[in-house]
Amino acid sequence: MADAVTAPRQPVHLADYRAPAFAVDQVELEFDLHPQATQVRARLHMHRRSAGQLHLDGRKLKLLEIRLDGEELGDNSYHVDEAGLTIYEVPDRFTLETLVEICPAENTELSGLYMSGSGFFTQCEPEGFRKITFFPDRPDVMARYRVRMTADAQKYPVLLSNGNKLAEGTENARNWAEWEDPHPKPSYLFALVAADLVAVRDEFVTMSGRRVELGIWVERGDETRCGHAMESLKTAMRWDEDTFGLEYDLDVFNIAAVADFNAGAMENKGLNIFNTAYVLASPETATDTDFQNVERVIAHEYFHNWTGDRVTCRDWFQLSLKEGLTVFRDQEFMADQFSAAVKRIADVRLLRATQFRDDAGPLAHPVRPASYLEINNFYTTTIYEKGAEVVRMYRTLMGREAFRRGMDNYIRDNDNSAATVEDFFAAMQAAVPEHNIWQILRWYDQAGTPEITFEETYNPTNRSFMLTLRQHTNPTPGQESKLPFLMPVTVGLLDENGNEMLEETLVFHQAEQNFVFSHIDKPPVASLFRNFSAPVKLKGQSRERLAFLAAKDTDLFNRWDALQQYASAALLEAVAAHQAGRIFQLDAGLQDAIAATLRQAPRDQAFTAEALILPSESLLADDMAVVDPDAIHAVREAARATLGAALRDRFNSMYWECAKVNPADHSGPAMAARALKNAALAYLCAAGDVPRAWEQFNQGANMTDTLAALTQLADKPGEKREAALAAFYDEWKDTPLVLDKWFSVQARANAPDTLARVRALTQHEAFDLRNPNRVRALIGAFSTNQAKFHDASGDGYRLLADMVLRLDETNPQVAARLIAALGPWRRFAPARQALMRTELERILARGKLSPNTYEMASKALA
Ligand code: TRP
Ligand code: ZN
């Protein structure tokens, strides 16, 4: 390995947690906003909680003034370095005043105070506040904030911060405004916006009858695309009252949309800041998936008001305490809006595609990591989605009512404070004193996906059925051996006709455990882990059994899953045959199962659309001892073409049946019909009916249908592809969120020239490394294109590493995230392994690397 590795900063360990030595009671901030030189005056009213020096975090701050209780501090009474400010002696109670200068215009990291489009925006989670002023920038320091800001009245007419507006005015062509947030909060929830935005306004009356003013702030011209976000917000506010008894606690709730944003959105108290991608939606510009994502993310951030803001995290190791819980809440919300089974399927698909992949490789980490170099690297599907699975297991084990009591305990006992995973556990345990559930805590500290095997014994003499379950979890970095997990196993027993004999939730907590069911009159077929009752891999189901469950299971999730598992087994068998040089032949059972799925389409269109999607190439890869991306790709494509041809008539009639739906209708049934129509389109195109896609593209009925058609056309080199891409570009070149789709469609394409096109697109005039959405649309999307990213030449890996290195200079958070795609390198044959490793080493060899990228690349190689 090359030697010029940057010296990393020291890792932070959970075991080293110490309560803060000083508390901040009140914060007064004054911003004099100018792009090149913004001055921030901070008055911190503080008191001592334990012995020790006063250390405040601070990064890239130019200190102009410093006063302790009004007295200017001499040079030898404090010290400033790259990490912050230390004051050698302070009294037990004091006011510290600092004045610093920062440069928002040059902040390309998009954390702290930065500029985007028409104005100033902040992003403080997790450690951005220290780039604004000197402060104990840790979530267990909660304070009340009062903010005054001044900015050019013409350029930045709208001035927003957390809480309620106290006053505003204009002086010397500059506007000023004062905001006060009555709720104590950690610094990561601070927010400020100063921009030329317009508001879409509405109001919400809470369950106790309080009127809340709602505002969604966007660039002029985008007002027409905010209706869905506003409706979603009101629906989410009502849902949290109805479901958890949680009411909004301020008189104002604002959302500001920004085009340059590192993540999806941010739950700042009373002033959420959103990536425009999760606010703006109209049928012409947004797909049905976009509409659902807007609703989900609006709900997610709103739900954080209680699970995140009122009850926050003691330290960043507890991140999943707010994120896992809030994802669980948004999943439940979405399940209540549409179909619960289909929502569950989509969530499990995501978990398996990313979390299971990470959990099986060098980047595996527990839901509560023990250490980190850069906390920004831990906003992962493990913290979010696996964390949500752990919350769901609590509920499945406890039952809905007890879980609700546990939630009430949690909020009541931790309100206005910074909590831990143990606090959440204690609140839940107190709701079920008769059961000891302590072992569930192992899910927070042990990484890895448990693998489950089972055995069944039927005894006709005493009419009993015994189920034996075994669990095993492979080692993960730093964790050689694992203790058994506690998990709920929801089991259904079916008779030979698929009639349900019983359903029960078992508590499985040992390495091996027997469960006996009595009064079972005939040998049953067990449907295990119904509704995905635990985040595990269930092994050893025969094809015969899977075919039966795919056809008969009364649990919709498991019916889908059985078909997926069946398809995986059949396709992997075909992959082996392909590797042995045999010609592709479609498994007859798979064709039968897909045909059967099509027959039941009229009963549940949303479910059918999901069930028709074959396991993705990367999911198939996860089940191969040595991944062969070319063979997987060839086989999966051949299967789609064969199915499309064999079932052409049915796909055709389904297509036309579903095409009757109104293109502007965004109700659940309309979206389901479109999903099914476009699933049919994909099969028909796989079987050669490309003109169908061309026709659909030219109808331009709405973005869902246009994009589905363009996706098909992008796979087939030729005139139509070029014409469609050019037309789409022409129409949407000035609409950034739609232009992102133009990049993504090409990055995900199945075409022979995808790699070359993606390389060329990095030079396109509309490609912009400064805009995270654009980077994700091209590079992020490309890295999920299994067959093309893993091109045998290694050019895909090289392209990714080139982008990581360039991006690391301006935006390390976004750069580091791209590296996860190289994590699974050990799973490939030696040639690809070497190519992937070479790129990771090339990244590490860069002399000056951010801690973000350093941590990801070095861990991926370890
Ligand atoms: N807390 C945000 C959420 O709701 C995540 C987030 C927003 C974030 N902006 C960020 C994470 C910037 C890291 C960096 O999930
Ligand atoms: Zn969140």
Side-chain angles (χ1 to χ4, degrees), residues 299-613:
H300 178 96
E301 305 309 331
Y302 174 73
F303 295 156
H304 267 314
N305 188 59
W306 282 96
T307 53
D309 297 3
R310 284 287 285 257
V311 179
T312 192
C313 300
R314 187 192 73 173
D315 55 74
W316 293 118
F317 297 101
Q318 322 292 326
L319 180 57
S320 192
L321 179 67
K322 76 174 173 79
E323 295 304 345
L325 178 54
T326 305
V327 169
F328 170 77
R329 277 150 54 66
D330 82 56
Q331 289 176 346
E332 289 298 290
F333 168 74
M334 290 301 278
D336 284 352
Q337 310 308 308
F338 302 99
S339 148
V342 170
K343 174 62 180 154
R344 192 72 186 125
I345 288 168
D347 290 340
V348 172
R349 208 194 277 288
L350 170 70
L351 187 81
R352 284 177 173 156
T354 45
Q355 203 281 323
F356 279 21
R357 176 200 68 182
D358 287 351
D359 236 357
L363 300 172
H365 55 274
V367 170
R368 177 166 60 182
S371 75
Y372 59 76
L373 208 54
E374 172 50 67
I375 185 57
N376 273 294
N377 287 332
F378 286 81
Y379 288 74
T380 60
T381 46
T382 297
I383 305 297
Y384 278 65
E385 275 74 20
K386 187 176 180 181
E389 292 300 322
V390 177
V391 175
R392 185 175 295 277
M393 284 192 282
Y394 273 108
R395 194 190 58 182
T396 308
L397 288 164
M398 298 167 69
R400 280 172 191 267
E401 282 176 29
F403 179 78
R404 170 63 201 271
R405 289 199 303 277
M407 280 296 290
D408 292 350
N409 293 340
Y410 174 63
I411 301 284
R412 184 196 60 230
D413 297 347
N414 299 283
D415 194 10
N416 286 315
S417 69
T420 62
V421 157
E422 281 74 16
D423 293 323
F424 185 77
F425 168 78
M428 290 293 154
Q429 179 66 82
V432 282
E434 67 283 12
H435 298 122
N436 187 339
I437 57 170
W438 71 270
Q439 205 183 316
I440 200 171
L441 285 168
R442 282 189 186 146
W443 286 101
Y444 292 98
D445 297 318
Q446 290 191 137
T449 308
E451 296 187 356
I452 314 291
T453 50
F454 66 99
E455 251 169 67
E456 297 164 298
T457 324
Y458 181 68
N459 183 334
T461 326
N462 56 15
R463 298 187 300 137
S464 76
F465 172 71
M466 186 168 83
L467 177 68
T468 304
L469 295 173
R470 294 190 188 89
Q471 56 171 303
H472 168 78
T473 307
N474 286 326
T476 53
Q479 295 184 331
E480 272 314 303
S481 64
K482 314 274 180 177
L483 295 165
F485 291 96
L486 168 77
M487 63 185 87
V489 185
T490 304
V491 179
L493 297 186
L494 304 173
D495 72 13
E496 75 273 21
N497 299 317
N499 297 313
E500 185 165 305
M501 302 155 79
L502 65 81
E503 184 183 85
E504 211 173 287
T505 293
L506 311 171
V507 181
F508 176 34
H509 62 104
Q510 293 165 1
E512 175 174 331
Q513 218 172 323
N514 293 324
F515 300 90
V516 178
F517 302 82
S518 36
H519 308 295
I520 306 295
D521 292 335
K522 40 194 168 178
V525 178
S527 161
L528 301 172
F529 291 95
R530 284 186 149 187
N531 206 33
F532 203 67
S533 62
V536 299
K537 289 185 182 166
L538 176 60
K539 300 276 187 179
Q541 300 198 83
S542 69
R543 296 265 279 275
E544 193 189 359
R545 174 196 188 88
L546 289 168
F548 174 83
L549 293 173
K552 307 277 188 183
D553 204 328
T554 41
D555 182 75
L556 258 193
F557 175 85
N558 267 16
R559 199 192 302 165
W560 167 80
D561 201 27
L563 178 52
Q564 288 286 301
Q565 305 294 339
Y566 184 98
S568 280
L571 294 176
L572 286 171
E573 195 178 86
V575 166
H578 179 95
Q579 288 175 318
R582 288 201 290 278
I583 163 164
F584 176 78
Q585 221 185 337
L586 184 68
D587 178 271
L590 180 55
Q591 184 172 324
D592 292 347
I594 296 281
T597 301
L598 281 175
R599 277 194 296 276
Q600 49 136 49
R603 265 186 290 141
D604 190 340
Q605 295 188 320
F607 176 80
T608 309
E610 288 291 344
L612 286 177
I613 303 171

Side-chain angles (χ1 to χ4, degrees), residues 32-269:
D32 190 12
L33 294 161
H34 298 272
Q36 293 300 332
T38 286
Q39 293 199 345
V40 185
R41 185 176 296 280
R43 265 184 299 276
L44 313 182
H45 303 278
M46 304 185 68
H47 73 266
R48 181 187 291 281
R49 301 179 60 214
S50 60
Q53 284 183 340
L54 175 65
H55 177 78
L56 302 178
D57 301 296
R59 263 192 64 205
K60 297 187 185 169
L61 303 173
K62 187 163 145 201
L63 182 62
L64 303 177
E65 288 175 23
I66 179 165
R67 283 193 193 83
L68 189 64
D69 287 326
E71 294 288 318
E72 205 148 321
L73 278 183
D75 285 354
N76 49 10
S77 49
Y78 67 91
H79 172 75
V80 179
D81 60 22
E82 359 38 275
L85 165 69
T86 304
I87 301 177
Y88 305 129
E89 272 173 62
V90 292
D92 287 347
R93 195 168 282 279
F94 57 92
T95 298
L96 179 71
E97 180 172 334
T98 59
L99 178 68
V100 301
E101 190 178 289
I102 53 180
C103 180
E106 269 158 37
N107 181 353
T108 59
E109 295 176 8
L110 311 186
S111 107
L113 177 66
Y114 65 94
M115 307 217 59
S116 168
S118 77
F120 296 87
F121 296 84
T122 56
Q123 171 54 37
C124 292
E125 185 181 4
E127 297 182 335
F129 194 70
R130 64 189 61 189
K131 296 176 65 192
I132 294 174
T133 192
F134 289 107
F135 198 81
D137 191 13
R138 43 187 288 171
D140 55 356
V141 174
M142 298 173 82
R144 288 193 177 77
Y145 285 67
R146 200 181 161 119
V147 179
R148 184 187 159 93
M149 66 190 106
T150 314
D152 185 287
Q154 287 271 288
K155 293 198 184 104
Y156 318 108
V158 173
L159 305 176
L160 307 172
S161 190
N162 315 84
N164 304 311
K165 189 162 34 175
L166 300 178
E168 63 191 327
T170 308
E171 274 162 40
N172 307 324
R174 288 178 72 76
N175 279 354
W176 61 268
E178 270 180 38
W179 289 77
E180 183 179 54
D181 181 358
H183 299 283
K185 65 168 175 288
S187 52
Y188 82 87
L189 292 174
F190 169 78
L192 172 151
V193 172
D196 188 5
L197 300 176
V198 289
V200 171
R201 294 177 191 276
D202 206 331
E203 62 169 37
F204 180 84
V205 179
T206 70
M207 61 185 183
S208 69
R210 270 190 316 100
R211 197 173 291 277
V212 181
E213 269 179 51
L214 310 177
I216 299 184
W217 298 84
V218 295
E219 301 231 317
R220 208 173 300 279
D222 287 339
E223 309 91 292
T224 53
R225 293 198 280 158
C226 296
H228 181 63
M230 187 62 90
E231 283 312 305
S232 302
L233 175 60
K234 290 186 289 180
T235 311
M237 292 178 87
R238 191 64 75 209
W239 186 90
D240 217 14
E241 293 182 342
D242 293 345
T243 313
F244 287 105
L246 295 173
E247 185 178 0
Y248 187 61
D249 57 357
L250 283 165
D251 302 330
V252 194
F253 187 76
N254 281 318
I255 291 175
V258 58
D260 300 287
F261 201 71
N262 281 348
M266 181 62 213
E267 69 264 25
N268 316 300
K269 184 79 187 186

Side-chain angles (χ1 to χ4, degrees), residues 692-700 706 709-710 713 723-725 727-728:
R692 177 73 51 92
W694 177 245
E695 209 176 287
Q696 179 170 318
F697 177 79
N698 286 310
Q699 273 164 5
T706 301
L710 187 61
L713 295 169
L725 285 169
F728 192 91

